[in-house]
Short mmCIF file of all heavy atoms in Angstrom, two decimals:
data_model
loop_
_atom_site.label_atom_id
_atom_site.label_comp_id
_atom_site.label_asym_id
_atom_site.label_seq_id
_atom_site.Cartn_x
_atom_site.Cartn_y
_atom_site.Cartn_z
N GLY I 112 -13.75 -20.01 -27.72
CA GLY I 112 -13.14 -19.74 -29.02
C GLY I 112 -12.68 -18.31 -29.12
O GLY I 112 -12.39 -17.64 -28.12
N THR I 113 -12.61 -17.81 -30.35
CA THR I 113 -12.16 -16.45 -30.59
C THR I 113 -13.13 -15.45 -29.98
O THR I 113 -14.35 -15.56 -30.14
CB THR I 113 -12.03 -16.19 -32.10
OG1 THR I 113 -11.10 -17.13 -32.66
CG2 THR I 113 -11.53 -14.77 -32.36
N MET I 114 -12.59 -14.46 -29.27
CA MET I 114 -13.43 -13.46 -28.63
C MET I 114 -13.86 -12.38 -29.63
O MET I 114 -13.08 -11.95 -30.47
CB MET I 114 -12.67 -12.79 -27.48
CG MET I 114 -12.18 -13.77 -26.44
SD MET I 114 -13.55 -14.67 -25.67
CE MET I 114 -12.66 -15.95 -24.80
N THR I 115 -15.11 -11.95 -29.51
CA THR I 115 -15.64 -10.89 -30.36
C THR I 115 -15.84 -9.63 -29.55
O THR I 115 -15.75 -9.63 -28.32
CB THR I 115 -16.99 -11.30 -30.97
OG1 THR I 115 -17.97 -11.37 -29.92
CG2 THR I 115 -16.90 -12.66 -31.66
N GLU I 116 -16.13 -8.55 -30.25
CA GLU I 116 -16.40 -7.29 -29.56
C GLU I 116 -17.64 -7.40 -28.69
O GLU I 116 -17.71 -6.81 -27.61
CB GLU I 116 -16.58 -6.15 -30.58
CG GLU I 116 -16.72 -4.79 -29.92
CD GLU I 116 -16.82 -3.66 -30.93
OE1 GLU I 116 -16.72 -3.94 -32.14
OE2 GLU I 116 -16.99 -2.51 -30.51
N ALA I 117 -18.63 -8.18 -29.14
CA ALA I 117 -19.83 -8.38 -28.33
C ALA I 117 -19.50 -9.11 -27.03
O ALA I 117 -20.03 -8.77 -25.97
CB ALA I 117 -20.88 -9.16 -29.12
N ASP I 118 -18.64 -10.13 -27.11
CA ASP I 118 -18.20 -10.82 -25.91
C ASP I 118 -17.53 -9.84 -24.94
O ASP I 118 -17.82 -9.81 -23.74
CB ASP I 118 -17.19 -11.92 -26.25
CG ASP I 118 -17.73 -12.95 -27.22
OD1 ASP I 118 -18.95 -13.23 -27.16
OD2 ASP I 118 -16.94 -13.46 -28.03
N ALA I 119 -16.61 -9.04 -25.49
CA ALA I 119 -15.86 -8.10 -24.66
C ALA I 119 -16.79 -7.08 -24.01
O ALA I 119 -16.64 -6.76 -22.83
CB ALA I 119 -14.81 -7.40 -25.51
N LEU I 120 -17.75 -6.56 -24.77
CA LEU I 120 -18.66 -5.56 -24.22
C LEU I 120 -19.49 -6.16 -23.10
O LEU I 120 -19.77 -5.51 -22.09
CB LEU I 120 -19.57 -5.02 -25.33
CG LEU I 120 -20.48 -3.85 -24.93
CD1 LEU I 120 -19.65 -2.66 -24.47
CD2 LEU I 120 -21.38 -3.46 -26.08
N HIS I 121 -19.88 -7.42 -23.25
CA HIS I 121 -20.63 -8.12 -22.21
C HIS I 121 -19.85 -8.16 -20.91
O HIS I 121 -20.38 -7.87 -19.83
CB HIS I 121 -20.96 -9.53 -22.69
CG HIS I 121 -21.51 -10.43 -21.63
ND1 HIS I 121 -22.73 -10.21 -21.01
CD2 HIS I 121 -21.01 -11.56 -21.07
CE1 HIS I 121 -22.95 -11.17 -20.12
NE2 HIS I 121 -21.91 -12.00 -20.14
N PHE I 122 -18.57 -8.48 -21.00
CA PHE I 122 -17.76 -8.63 -19.79
C PHE I 122 -17.25 -7.28 -19.25
O PHE I 122 -16.96 -7.17 -18.06
CB PHE I 122 -16.58 -9.55 -20.06
CG PHE I 122 -16.93 -11.01 -19.99
CD1 PHE I 122 -17.29 -11.71 -21.13
CD2 PHE I 122 -16.93 -11.68 -18.79
CE1 PHE I 122 -17.63 -13.05 -21.07
CE2 PHE I 122 -17.27 -13.02 -18.71
CZ PHE I 122 -17.62 -13.71 -19.85
N CYS I 123 -17.12 -6.29 -20.11
CA CYS I 123 -16.58 -5.00 -19.67
C CYS I 123 -17.66 -4.04 -19.18
O CYS I 123 -17.34 -2.96 -18.67
CB CYS I 123 -15.80 -4.34 -20.81
SG CYS I 123 -14.28 -5.20 -21.27
N THR I 124 -18.92 -4.39 -19.35
CA THR I 124 -20.02 -3.51 -18.97
C THR I 124 -20.55 -3.92 -17.60
O THR I 124 -21.07 -5.01 -17.43
CB THR I 124 -21.16 -3.57 -20.00
OG1 THR I 124 -20.64 -3.20 -21.28
CG2 THR I 124 -22.28 -2.62 -19.61
N VAL I 125 -20.38 -3.05 -16.62
CA VAL I 125 -20.86 -3.29 -15.26
C VAL I 125 -21.53 -2.03 -14.75
O VAL I 125 -21.35 -0.94 -15.30
CB VAL I 125 -19.69 -3.68 -14.31
CG1 VAL I 125 -19.03 -4.98 -14.76
CG2 VAL I 125 -18.66 -2.56 -14.24
N ASP I 126 -22.31 -2.17 -13.68
CA ASP I 126 -22.96 -0.98 -13.11
C ASP I 126 -22.34 -0.56 -11.78
O ASP I 126 -22.84 0.36 -11.13
CB ASP I 126 -24.47 -1.22 -12.95
CG ASP I 126 -24.80 -2.32 -11.94
OD1 ASP I 126 -23.87 -2.92 -11.36
OD2 ASP I 126 -26.00 -2.59 -11.75
N TYR I 127 -21.26 -1.24 -11.36
CA TYR I 127 -20.52 -0.94 -10.13
C TYR I 127 -21.37 -1.11 -8.88
O TYR I 127 -21.05 -0.55 -7.83
CB TYR I 127 -19.92 0.48 -10.18
CG TYR I 127 -19.12 0.75 -11.42
CD1 TYR I 127 -19.51 1.74 -12.34
CD2 TYR I 127 -17.98 0.02 -11.71
CE1 TYR I 127 -18.78 1.98 -13.48
CE2 TYR I 127 -17.24 0.25 -12.86
CZ TYR I 127 -17.64 1.24 -13.74
OH TYR I 127 -16.92 1.47 -14.88
N ASP I 128 -22.42 -1.89 -8.98
CA ASP I 128 -23.28 -2.18 -7.84
C ASP I 128 -23.66 -3.65 -7.88
O ASP I 128 -23.06 -4.46 -7.18
CB ASP I 128 -24.53 -1.29 -7.89
CG ASP I 128 -25.48 -1.54 -6.72
OD1 ASP I 128 -25.14 -2.32 -5.81
OD2 ASP I 128 -26.59 -0.96 -6.72
N ASP I 129 -24.60 -4.01 -8.73
CA ASP I 129 -24.96 -5.42 -8.89
C ASP I 129 -23.88 -6.19 -9.64
O ASP I 129 -23.77 -7.41 -9.49
CB ASP I 129 -26.29 -5.54 -9.64
CG ASP I 129 -27.46 -5.08 -8.79
OD1 ASP I 129 -27.31 -4.97 -7.57
OD2 ASP I 129 -28.53 -4.81 -9.37
N SER I 130 -23.13 -5.50 -10.46
CA SER I 130 -21.98 -6.11 -11.14
C SER I 130 -20.80 -5.18 -11.02
O SER I 130 -20.94 -3.95 -11.08
CB SER I 130 -22.31 -6.39 -12.61
OG SER I 130 -22.74 -5.20 -13.27
N PHE I 131 -19.64 -5.77 -10.82
CA PHE I 131 -18.43 -4.97 -10.57
C PHE I 131 -17.23 -5.76 -11.06
O PHE I 131 -17.18 -6.97 -10.90
CB PHE I 131 -18.28 -4.68 -9.08
CG PHE I 131 -17.32 -3.58 -8.73
CD1 PHE I 131 -17.78 -2.33 -8.37
CD2 PHE I 131 -15.95 -3.79 -8.75
CE1 PHE I 131 -16.90 -1.30 -8.06
CE2 PHE I 131 -15.06 -2.78 -8.45
CZ PHE I 131 -15.53 -1.54 -8.09
N ALA I 132 -16.27 -5.07 -11.65
CA ALA I 132 -15.04 -5.74 -12.08
C ALA I 132 -13.86 -4.81 -11.91
O ALA I 132 -13.97 -3.59 -12.11
CB ALA I 132 -15.15 -6.20 -13.53
N LEU I 133 -12.74 -5.39 -11.54
CA LEU I 133 -11.48 -4.68 -11.43
C LEU I 133 -10.50 -5.24 -12.45
O LEU I 133 -10.49 -6.45 -12.70
CB LEU I 133 -10.87 -4.85 -10.03
CG LEU I 133 -11.62 -4.24 -8.86
CD1 LEU I 133 -11.05 -4.78 -7.54
CD2 LEU I 133 -11.52 -2.71 -8.88
N VAL I 134 -9.67 -4.37 -13.02
CA VAL I 134 -8.58 -4.82 -13.86
C VAL I 134 -7.27 -4.41 -13.21
O VAL I 134 -7.20 -3.38 -12.52
CB VAL I 134 -8.65 -4.24 -15.29
CG1 VAL I 134 -9.92 -4.69 -15.98
CG2 VAL I 134 -8.54 -2.73 -15.29
N ALA I 135 -6.24 -5.22 -13.40
CA ALA I 135 -4.88 -4.85 -13.05
C ALA I 135 -4.15 -4.58 -14.35
O ALA I 135 -4.16 -5.41 -15.26
CB ALA I 135 -4.20 -5.97 -12.26
N GLU I 136 -3.55 -3.40 -14.45
CA GLU I 136 -2.85 -3.00 -15.68
C GLU I 136 -1.38 -2.78 -15.39
O GLU I 136 -1.01 -2.25 -14.34
CB GLU I 136 -3.41 -1.67 -16.20
CG GLU I 136 -4.79 -1.73 -16.80
CD GLU I 136 -5.20 -0.38 -17.35
OE1 GLU I 136 -4.80 0.65 -16.76
OE2 GLU I 136 -5.93 -0.35 -18.34
N ILE I 137 -0.55 -3.15 -16.32
CA ILE I 137 0.89 -2.89 -16.22
C ILE I 137 1.33 -2.18 -17.49
O ILE I 137 0.79 -2.41 -18.58
CB ILE I 137 1.67 -4.20 -16.02
CG1 ILE I 137 3.10 -3.91 -15.58
CG2 ILE I 137 1.63 -5.09 -17.26
CD1 ILE I 137 3.81 -5.11 -14.99
N SER I 138 2.28 -1.27 -17.34
CA SER I 138 2.77 -0.51 -18.49
C SER I 138 3.94 -1.25 -19.13
O SER I 138 4.92 -1.58 -18.46
CB SER I 138 3.22 0.89 -18.04
OG SER I 138 3.67 1.64 -19.14
N THR I 139 3.81 -1.51 -20.44
CA THR I 139 4.85 -2.19 -21.20
C THR I 139 5.15 -1.36 -22.44
O THR I 139 4.27 -1.14 -23.26
CB THR I 139 4.41 -3.61 -21.61
OG1 THR I 139 4.05 -4.35 -20.43
CG2 THR I 139 5.52 -4.32 -22.34
N ASP I 140 6.37 -0.89 -22.54
CA ASP I 140 6.78 -0.05 -23.68
C ASP I 140 5.85 1.15 -23.85
O ASP I 140 5.47 1.52 -24.97
CB ASP I 140 6.81 -0.87 -24.97
CG ASP I 140 7.85 -1.99 -24.91
OD1 ASP I 140 8.88 -1.80 -24.26
OD2 ASP I 140 7.60 -3.05 -25.52
N GLY I 141 5.44 1.73 -22.72
CA GLY I 141 4.61 2.92 -22.75
C GLY I 141 3.13 2.66 -22.95
O GLY I 141 2.35 3.60 -22.98
N GLN I 142 2.74 1.40 -23.09
CA GLN I 142 1.34 1.06 -23.29
C GLN I 142 0.86 0.18 -22.14
O GLN I 142 1.56 -0.73 -21.71
CB GLN I 142 1.13 0.34 -24.61
CG GLN I 142 1.40 1.20 -25.82
CD GLN I 142 1.03 0.50 -27.12
OE1 GLN I 142 0.82 -0.71 -27.15
NE2 GLN I 142 0.91 1.27 -28.19
N ARG I 143 -0.34 0.48 -21.64
CA ARG I 143 -0.89 -0.30 -20.54
C ARG I 143 -1.57 -1.55 -21.07
O ARG I 143 -2.31 -1.50 -22.04
CB ARG I 143 -1.87 0.54 -19.70
CG ARG I 143 -1.17 1.59 -18.86
CD ARG I 143 -2.07 2.11 -17.74
NE ARG I 143 -1.35 2.95 -16.81
CZ ARG I 143 -0.67 2.49 -15.75
NH1 ARG I 143 -0.64 1.20 -15.52
NH2 ARG I 143 -0.05 3.31 -14.94
N GLN I 144 -1.30 -2.67 -20.40
CA GLN I 144 -1.90 -3.94 -20.78
C GLN I 144 -2.55 -4.56 -19.56
O GLN I 144 -2.02 -4.50 -18.45
CB GLN I 144 -0.82 -4.89 -21.32
CG GLN I 144 -0.15 -4.40 -22.58
CD GLN I 144 0.94 -5.36 -23.06
OE1 GLN I 144 1.44 -6.17 -22.29
NE2 GLN I 144 1.27 -5.28 -24.33
N ILE I 145 -3.72 -5.17 -19.77
CA ILE I 145 -4.40 -5.85 -18.67
C ILE I 145 -3.63 -7.12 -18.32
O ILE I 145 -3.27 -7.91 -19.20
CB ILE I 145 -5.85 -6.18 -19.05
CG1 ILE I 145 -6.65 -4.89 -19.24
CG2 ILE I 145 -6.50 -7.06 -17.98
CD1 ILE I 145 -8.09 -5.12 -19.71
N MET I 146 -3.37 -7.31 -17.03
CA MET I 146 -2.67 -8.51 -16.57
C MET I 146 -3.54 -9.40 -15.70
O MET I 146 -3.18 -10.55 -15.44
CB MET I 146 -1.41 -8.10 -15.78
CG MET I 146 -1.72 -7.18 -14.61
SD MET I 146 -0.26 -6.40 -13.89
CE MET I 146 0.39 -7.74 -12.92
N ALA I 147 -4.70 -8.89 -15.26
CA ALA I 147 -5.61 -9.69 -14.43
C ALA I 147 -6.95 -8.98 -14.34
O ALA I 147 -7.04 -7.76 -14.50
CB ALA I 147 -5.04 -9.89 -13.03
N ILE I 148 -7.99 -9.77 -14.09
CA ILE I 148 -9.35 -9.24 -13.93
C ILE I 148 -10.03 -9.99 -12.78
O ILE I 148 -9.93 -11.21 -12.69
CB ILE I 148 -10.19 -9.39 -15.21
CG1 ILE I 148 -9.53 -8.65 -16.38
CG2 ILE I 148 -11.61 -8.87 -15.00
CD1 ILE I 148 -10.25 -8.85 -17.71
N ALA I 149 -10.73 -9.25 -11.93
CA ALA I 149 -11.56 -9.85 -10.88
C ALA I 149 -12.95 -9.25 -10.99
O ALA I 149 -13.09 -8.05 -11.26
CB ALA I 149 -10.97 -9.58 -9.50
N ARG I 150 -13.98 -10.06 -10.79
CA ARG I 150 -15.33 -9.53 -10.91
C ARG I 150 -16.28 -10.24 -9.96
O ARG I 150 -16.01 -11.36 -9.50
CB ARG I 150 -15.86 -9.65 -12.33
CG ARG I 150 -16.12 -11.08 -12.81
CD ARG I 150 -16.76 -11.08 -14.20
NE ARG I 150 -15.89 -10.48 -15.19
CZ ARG I 150 -16.16 -9.32 -15.82
NH1 ARG I 150 -17.28 -8.68 -15.59
NH2 ARG I 150 -15.32 -8.84 -16.71
N TYR I 151 -17.39 -9.55 -9.67
CA TYR I 151 -18.48 -10.21 -8.97
C TYR I 151 -19.78 -9.87 -9.65
O TYR I 151 -19.88 -8.88 -10.40
CB TYR I 151 -18.53 -9.84 -7.47
CG TYR I 151 -19.08 -8.47 -7.13
CD1 TYR I 151 -20.43 -8.13 -7.30
CD2 TYR I 151 -18.25 -7.49 -6.58
CE1 TYR I 151 -20.93 -6.89 -6.97
CE2 TYR I 151 -18.75 -6.24 -6.23
CZ TYR I 151 -20.09 -5.94 -6.43
OH TYR I 151 -20.58 -4.69 -6.10
N TYR I 152 -20.80 -10.68 -9.41
CA TYR I 152 -22.14 -10.45 -9.93
C TYR I 152 -23.12 -10.82 -8.81
O TYR I 152 -23.11 -11.93 -8.31
CB TYR I 152 -22.41 -11.30 -11.18
CG TYR I 152 -23.68 -10.93 -11.90
CD1 TYR I 152 -23.66 -10.02 -12.94
CD2 TYR I 152 -24.89 -11.49 -11.53
CE1 TYR I 152 -24.83 -9.67 -13.60
CE2 TYR I 152 -26.06 -11.15 -12.19
CZ TYR I 152 -26.02 -10.23 -13.22
OH TYR I 152 -27.19 -9.90 -13.85
#
């Protein structure tokens, strides 16, 4: 359903060791937007 800030914080918080995620960003009209995400746990 609709994503909340708590949902986002859960997925955006990693320790770069046991959990890691990469984002791909593209610039559109001067603003960067996420176009893809890869992660492992």
Side-chain angles (χ1 to χ4, degrees):
T113 301
M114 302 300 168
T115 68
E116 186 177 357
D118 302 326
L120 187 61
H121 170 65
F122 279 94
C123 293
T124 302
V125 298
D126 64 0
Y127 308 117
D128 179 6
D129 290 343
S130 55
F131 196 103
L133 294 167
V134 299
E136 288 183 327
I137 194 164
S138 181
T139 304
D140 297 328
Q142 294 187 344
R143 287 197 171 273
Q144 298 179 339
I145 294 176
M146 56 193 282
I148 301 175
R150 69 175 62 247
Y151 76 69
Y152 190 93

